[in-house]
């Protein structure tokens, strides 16, 4: 072993190290090819696992359960620690899917998948990749919302890092406690606005964990390169503070300078520990912090807010694709939003930018085609002095209107978009009004989870007499109306962020530009074939998501190169576009 360490130490990289020379009780060949995908770090792969077969079985990164072959059981000291039978990964997958399908409650399925991820990471991702359409609503919206609400009760084993006010002044030390030295993607939340469920404090960790599972399953980023983080500054949720099982700080949410200082320390520590090419994805921060943080750090860090930018990119893609069904160019349509928070204003801005680029018109002019309604009514110029900064660009000249129905009748939009987080706000009267002056109205009810959706698919199709083009944030089953079956689309951020993040990683970009988001949107819109248009769909099926993510990544990376961003692995584009997505291993994406 000493000679192996000596040899490794004399070389510049672990990539130069011959795994066959690591002699431990006879030596262990690098059967899985893990060593050839590691980074420049002085670590001897497998040393810990080889030293104790029992420990290997409790290491989710390398454990394969009964899939270990006879040869592997001898090589890794597993003889006797497993039952005699061997079981292929395919058979393991079949057995687990049969078990999961027997659960009637989605949260039970979520817990079963979480337990699998904690003991056999390879099998978890195999399961998720092969059954993505069935399992996506479990590991992601809508079930992840319920999981966050009950996170304290179902908490078993910590995943990711928790950085609380107790760690103020020691954030860099906390980051160094994470065992992986090369991290490429961080998803971070402070838990203040989890989906449409409000302040869930420390229990919002379910969101970063779920998002990063999709980075691997849908985008091919190695699990070890992903780091979920929750910033715990307390919660204003009285019910959680009184819950004996709550796992976070039991105090009111800290704001102001103390909050800003902790976030500043965190952002500086991330760059110091992982470099400036690590993607930092903000998730579910409240409006008053989300816009400020994005604006503050977008010039110094590789930051991306999925609620503002990811949602915008996937909705723009749906709208662009829908033009094939409703006709006209983007600039010929009129948009009305219910909801003027992160999602609403983010979508509106990206649509305005796309129209601006296509028509060579100043964005200040293209914004006038987009109207927003918030809790106080239509956003108009007479309200400008009382509006938050991010709403002011959408304050157009118009008489005040205090409700959505009257706004619909006055504006006569061709596209109605809901991002309010308030369920059943697209009433029968609203949908009938939109349908009265549109042959094919485009209605997007985006709020999550399902209970917060502005309307259901059945309501949209029934009240529009089957004429609407509909998509939602949460999944809905197909609807039969007047003898015809309508298949609603799902405007799911999972279409965008795994491929977008992968594109940032492979390009070596150090900043996110709006043109990259437009490139991602156009790439996704181009994935909708005539076959799906005939069904009224404006998004492709999730069964093709790994291929879709690869194309998005390639286009984002190409745009980064065009914009002059550092582009370290341009030859990797050909690899991504020519690879079979189902055979792309998690380690093969590692750079």
């Amino acid at each position: 072993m000493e000679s192996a360490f000596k040899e490794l130490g004399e070389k510049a990289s672990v990539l130069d190290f011959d795994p066959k020379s690591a002699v431990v009780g006879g030596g262990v060949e690098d059967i899985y090819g893990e060593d050839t995908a590691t980074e420049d770090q002085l670590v001897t792969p497998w040393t810990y696992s080889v030293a104790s077969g029992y420990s290997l079985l409790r290491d989710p990164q390398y454990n394969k359960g009964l899939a270990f072959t006879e040869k592997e059981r001898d090589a890794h000291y597993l003889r006797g620690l497993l039952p005699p039978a061997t079981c292929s990964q395919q058979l393991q997958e079949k057995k687990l899917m049969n078990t999961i399908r027997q659960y009637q409650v989605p949260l039970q399925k979520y817990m079963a998948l979480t337990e699998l991820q904690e003991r056999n990471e390879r099998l978890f991702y195999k399961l998720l990749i092969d059954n993505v359409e069935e399992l996506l609503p479990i590991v992601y919206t809508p079930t992840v919302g319920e999981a966050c609400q009950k996170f304290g009760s179902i908490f078993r084993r910590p995943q990711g890092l928790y950085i609380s006010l107790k760690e103020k002044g020691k954030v860099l030390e906390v980051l160094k406690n994470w065992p992986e030295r090369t991290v490429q993607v961080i998803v971070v939340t402070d838990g203040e606005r989890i989906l449409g469920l409000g302040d869930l404090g420390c229990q919002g960790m379910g969101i970063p964990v779920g998002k990063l599972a999709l980075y691997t399953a849908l985008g091919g980023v190695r699990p070890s390169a992903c780091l979920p983080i929750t910033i715990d500054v307390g919660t204003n949720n009285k019910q959680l503070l009184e819950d004996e099982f709550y796992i976070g700080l039991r105090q009111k949410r800290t704001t102001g300078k103390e909050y800003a200082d902790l976030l500043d320390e965190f952002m500086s520590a991330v760059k110091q520990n992982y470099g400036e090419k690590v993607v930092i994805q903000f998730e579910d921060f409240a409006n008053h912090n989300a816009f400020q943080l994005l604006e503050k750090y977008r010039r110094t860090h590789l930051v991306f807010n999925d609620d503002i930018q990811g949602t915008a990119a996937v909705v723009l893609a749906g709208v662009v694709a829908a033009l094939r069904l409703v006709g006209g160019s983007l600039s010929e349509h009129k948009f009305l939003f219910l909801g003027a928070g992160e999602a609403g204003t983010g979508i509106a801005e990206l649509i305005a930018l796309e129209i601006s680029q296509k028509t060579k018109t100043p964005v200040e002019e293209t914004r006038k085609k987009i109207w927003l309604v918030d809790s106080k009514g239509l956003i108009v110029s007479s309200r400008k002095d009382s509006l938050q900064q991010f709403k002011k660009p959408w304050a157009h000249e118009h008489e005040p209107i205090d409700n959505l129905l009257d706004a619909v009748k006055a504006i006569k939009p061709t596209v109605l978009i809901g991002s309010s987080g308030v369920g059943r706000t697209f009433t029968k009267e609203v949908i009938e009004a939109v349908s009265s002056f549109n042959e094919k109205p485009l209605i997007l009810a985006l709020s999550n989870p399902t209970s917060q959706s502005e309307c259901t698919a059945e309501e949209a199709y029934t009240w529009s007499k089957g004429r609407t083009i509909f998509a939602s944030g949460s999944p809905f089953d197909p609807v039969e109306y007047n003898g015809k079956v309508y298949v609603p689309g799902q405007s799911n951020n999972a279409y965008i962020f795994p491929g977008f993040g992968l594109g940032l990683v492979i390009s070596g970009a150090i900043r996110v530009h709006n043109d990259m988001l437009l490139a991602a949107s156009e790439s996704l819109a181009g994935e909708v074939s005539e076959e799906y248009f005939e069904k009224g769909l404006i998004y492709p099926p999730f069964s093709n998501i790994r291929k879709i993510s690869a194309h998005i990544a390639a286009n984002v990376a190409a745009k980064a190169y065009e914009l002059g961003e550092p582009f370290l692995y341009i030859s990797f584009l050909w690899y991504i576009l020519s690879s079979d997505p189902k055979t792309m291993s998690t380690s093969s994406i590692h750079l």
Side-chain angles (χ1 to χ4, degrees):
M1 178 59 77
E2 289 181 3
S3 63
F5 272 112
K6 183 178 180 181
E7 181 181 348
L8 180 58
E10 290 172 351
K11 297 189 177 183
S13 169
V14 123
L15 297 176
D16 300 322
F17 178 58
D18 180 5
K20 295 181 180 180
S21 66
V23 181
V24 182
V28 176
E29 183 179 351
D30 177 28
I31 297 170
Y32 309 107
E34 296 289 347
D35 299 349
T36 57
T38 54
E39 302 80 23
D40 292 346
Q41 55 187 24
L42 296 178
V43 175
T44 305
W46 285 100
T47 300
Y48 179 72
S49 296
V50 170
S52 172
Y54 188 80
S55 297
L56 172 58
L57 294 179
R58 277 146 185 79
D59 186 337
Q61 187 173 355
Y62 298 113
N63 178 33
K64 293 165 56 177
L66 292 179
F68 281 113
T69 65
E70 295 290 336
K71 181 180 178 181
E72 290 167 343
R73 295 181 190 206
D74 286 330
H76 298 299
Y77 306 99
L78 300 175
R79 184 66 64 182
L81 299 179
L82 291 167
T86 58
C87 178
S88 69
Q89 190 179 59
Q90 289 71 26
L91 190 58
Q92 287 179 320
E93 179 183 3
K94 179 180 178 181
K95 174 185 174 183
L96 279 165
M97 285 307 300
N98 286 339
T99 300
I100 288 170
R101 286 168 181 152
Q102 289 177 17
Y103 291 119
Q104 299 300 311
V105 179
L107 188 60
Q108 292 177 322
K109 297 182 180 184
Y110 176 91
M111 293 172 66
L113 287 169
T114 299
E115 189 272 335
L116 175 61
Q117 186 180 18
E118 291 172 352
R119 65 178 170 83
N120 191 332
E121 199 173 71
R122 295 163 183 261
L123 185 56
F124 169 78
Y125 286 111
K126 172 69 173 170
L127 215 67
L128 188 51
I129 290 167
D130 290 351
N131 304 276
V132 63
E133 291 181 292
E134 181 176 352
L135 297 182
L136 188 64
I138 305 300
V139 300
Y140 192 44
T141 56
T143 308
V144 71
E146 183 183 0
C148 287
Q149 288 178 308
K150 300 174 180 177
F151 204 78
S153 299
I154 65 175
F155 180 82
R156 294 179 180 176
R157 176 176 173 178
Q159 294 173 289
L161 282 176
Y162 294 84
I163 299 175
S164 73
L165 290 169
K166 292 180 179 180
E167 284 71 57
K168 196 168 183 292
K170 299 180 289 187
V171 173
L172 182 58
E173 296 176 34
V174 174
L175 291 179
K176 289 183 181 296
N177 288 341
W178 187 248
E180 302 294 341
R181 288 291 158 259
T182 300
V183 170
Q184 294 173 322
V185 182
I186 290 172
V187 176
V188 59
T189 186
D190 72 351
E192 189 169 5
R193 192 202 61 82
I194 298 298
L195 302 176
L197 303 171
D199 187 351
L200 298 183
C202 192
Q203 298 192 165
M205 178 57 99
I207 297 296
V209 169
K211 292 276 186 177
L212 287 169
L214 298 186
Y215 259 104
T216 295
L218 311 188
V221 179
R222 286 182 302 110
S224 60
C226 300
L227 174 55
I229 295 179
T230 290
I231 305 288
D232 186 2
V233 294
T235 178
N236 293 332
N237 187 321
K238 184 179 179 182
Q239 184 178 351
L240 286 180
L241 291 174
E242 295 175 353
D243 184 352
E244 62 179 330
F245 299 126
Y246 180 58
I247 61 174
L249 291 177
R250 293 182 183 275
Q251 64 173 63
K252 291 288 186 179
R253 184 171 286 274
T254 294
T255 59
K257 186 176 184 302
E258 189 175 8
Y259 177 89
D261 287 348
L262 181 61
L263 266 293
D264 208 35
E265 183 186 354
F266 166 72
M267 296 298 289
S268 298
V270 165
K271 182 183 280 191
Q272 183 177 345
N273 202 45
Y274 301 118
E276 63 180 352
K277 292 178 184 176
V278 61
V279 179
I280 305 172
Q281 180 170 314
F282 292 128
E283 280 291 339
D284 290 351
F285 285 78
N287 289 338
H288 55 273
N289 287 321
F291 289 99
Q292 290 181 9
L293 292 173
L294 183 59
E295 183 61 29
K296 181 176 181 180
Y297 295 112
R298 69 190 309 172
R299 294 175 180 84
T300 59
H301 292 71
L302 186 61
V303 294
F304 168 68
N305 187 303
D306 190 42
D307 303 302
I308 299 173
Q309 297 165 297
T311 301
V314 74
V315 173
L316 174 59
V319 172
V320 170
L323 296 179
R324 298 267 297 277
L325 295 170
V326 300
S329 65
L330 199 63
S331 60
E332 294 172 330
H333 286 270
K334 192 179 291 185
F335 301 82
L336 179 63
F337 286 76
L338 176 63
E342 298 169 59
T345 55
I347 299 165
E349 184 66 18
L350 202 63
I351 290 174
L353 285 170
E354 178 75 355
I355 297 173
S356 175
Q357 285 201 1
K358 297 299 184 186
T359 62
K360 309 301 181 188
T361 305
V363 71
E364 291 77 15
E365 288 298 313
T366 61
R367 287 183 184 134
K368 294 178 181 178
K369 296 181 176 291
I370 303 170
W371 298 80
L372 278 71
V373 173
D374 64 8
S375 59
K376 295 181 174 60
L378 190 67
I379 294 178
V380 294
S381 54
S382 60
R383 294 179 52 195
K384 206 162 190 176
D385 291 342
S386 63
L387 291 173
Q388 294 165 286
Q389 192 64 37
F390 60 86
K391 294 183 182 182
K392 290 184 178 180
W394 311 103
H396 308 319
E397 289 293 333
H398 200 284
E399 67 272 13
I401 298 177
D402 63 4
N403 65 83
L404 176 62
L405 179 58
D406 289 343
V408 167
K409 292 177 178 178
I411 302 301
K412 291 183 169 57
T414 55
V415 182
L416 179 64
I417 299 176
S419 60
S420 61
V422 181
R424 303 302 184 266
T425 42
F426 287 176
T427 62
K428 182 180 180 181
E429 292 75 18
V430 166
I431 292 177
E432 286 179 342
V434 173
S435 303
S436 68
F437 41 76
N438 288 292
E439 180 60 30
K440 290 184 177 180
L442 176 57
I443 298 177
L444 306 177
L446 303 177
S447 294
N448 283 313
T450 309
S451 60
Q452 307 303 112
S453 183
E454 284 77 11
C455 68
T456 66
E458 183 177 9
E459 290 167 344
Y461 291 121
T462 302
W463 294 337
S464 68
K465 293 181 169 57
R467 290 191 286 115
T468 188
I469 307 301
F470 177 80
S472 56
S474 292
F476 284 103
D477 293 329
V479 175
E480 184 176 351
Y481 176 77
N482 274 357
K484 182 178 178 180
V485 176
Y486 296 86
V487 183
Q490 188 184 1
S491 182
N492 194 318
N493 286 24
Y495 278 115
I496 289 288
F497 71 80
F500 187 79
L502 178 62
L504 296 176
V505 169
I506 67 171
S507 70
I510 58 174
R511 301 291 179 269
V512 171
H513 296 276
N514 286 327
D515 284 352
M516 297 177 184
L517 293 166
L518 295 177
S521 290
E522 291 166 4
S523 179
L524 176 57
E527 295 290 332
V528 188
S529 66
E530 198 62 41
E531 173 190 355
Y532 304 120
F533 283 126
E534 290 175 1
K535 298 178 181 178
L537 289 170
I538 56 176
Y539 292 102
F542 264 105
S543 57
N544 296 332
I545 188 61
R546 281 173 70 87
K547 181 179 178 182
I548 294 167
S549 295
H551 287 168
I552 290 172
N555 287 331
V556 169
K559 180 59 69 173
Y561 182 61
E562 181 185 320
L563 292 169
E565 282 286 341
F567 193 76
L568 303 180
Y569 299 96
I570 190 159
S571 62
F572 194 64
L573 275 173
W574 171 249
Y575 169 76
I576 281 188
L577 291 175
S578 61
S579 294
D580 179 356
K582 291 186 177 180
T583 62
M584 290 167 66
S585 71
T586 55
S587 62
S588 67
I589 302 298
H590 166 58
L591 302 177

